[in-house]
Amino acid sequence: GENVEQHPSTLSVQEGDSAVIKCTYSDSASNYFPWYKQELGKRPQLIIDIRSNVGEKKDQRIAVTLNKTAKHFSLHITETQPEDSAVYFCAASNRGNTNAGKSTFGDGTTLTVKP
Amino acid sequence: NAGVTQTPKFRILKIGQSMTLQCTQDMNHNYMYWYRQDPGMGLKLIYYSVGAGITDKGEVPNGYNVSRSTTEDFPLRLELAAPSQTSVYFCASSKRGAIQETQYFGPGTRLLVL
């Protein structure tokens, strides 16, 4: 099955700096890569996603890049703000697979943005 | 739309007791999932369902059972609670074939087994 590794497990940055979180996946058939943000005590919520036919996607201060050859994808947050502090999860799934399109999640990165 | 709802929010069980965690979605999603999240850890898939009457095991199914008699409901059953099942349980749903196949999560059920 799919295996997703996420690094780093913790990340501390100064407000205004950039943050980068990286994930690698093992199944070359995976073609959908969402990122979720989970604030303390809350549910995970999608913040951005990318499909395998796209190399990069941006949404304001958040961007995701995908390297299919190397089987890794990254989340980039620019101009970080204290409210970006949360746990971020990457995931990988195969949308074309009849096996429910279930996602395999990374173990999460705890991002702390210091004011 | 309420989205994905879960009950109860919090529960304390004694070892050996059983309980059912309820999950309901009102978005007409065909896919539903149960995850557990241990402290400081990621999400582990317990069971999932691609539609009413169809369920399958995820990564960590031992000690749990599910059923899916309707599109809306996907209850998770713990038969003989063990301390290792202390965790936060999230239910999620998604719509197969949607342009954005986002998983929408419920608010979670915090379970403590003593």
Side-chain angles (χ1 to χ4, degrees), chain B residues 13-70:
Chain B
L13 280 183
K14 294 182 180 178
I15 294 172
Q17 286 186 320
S18 61
M19 77 165 292
T20 299
L21 284 67
Q22 301 291 346
C23 175
T24 300
Q25 53 90 11
D26 61 359
M27 298 175 283
N28 199 32
H29 285 173
N30 36 9
Y31 287 3
M32 295 187 75
Y33 313 84
W34 273 105
Y35 295 92
R36 60 176 287 172
Q37 184 177 35
D38 297 335
M41 302 295 286
L43 297 156
K44 299 298 182 185
L45 183 65
I46 304 171
Y47 271 95
Y48 64 97
S49 170
V50 301
I54 306 170
T55 63
D56 207 347
K57 297 177 180 178
E59 301 172 72
V60 290
N62 291 346
Y64 307 94
N65 276 300
V66 294
S67 60
R68 182 107 181 261
S69 57
T70 67

Side-chain angles (χ1 to χ4, degrees), chain A residues 32 36 38 41-46 49 51 89 93 95-108, chain B residues 4 31 33 35 37 40-45 48 50 56 90 96-103 105-107 110:
Chain A
Y32 176 64
Y36 292 83
Q38 186 180 27
K42 301 291 181 65
R43 73 190 80 183
Q45 291 191 298
L46 181 81
D49 59 7
R51 290 167 186 76
F89 293 98
S93 69
R95 292 177 72 240
N97 193 329
T98 55
N99 202 14
K102 57 191 172 95
S103 293
T104 301
F105 285 80
D107 285 338
Chain B
V4 180
Y31 287 3
Y33 313 84
Y35 295 92
Q37 184 177 35
M41 302 295 286
L43 297 156
K44 299 298 182 185
L45 183 65
Y48 64 97
V50 301
D56 207 347
F90 287 102
R96 178 81 173 122
I99 294 174
Q100 183 170 327
E101 202 167 281
T102 305
Q103 287 195 26
F105 286 83
R110 188 174 299 273

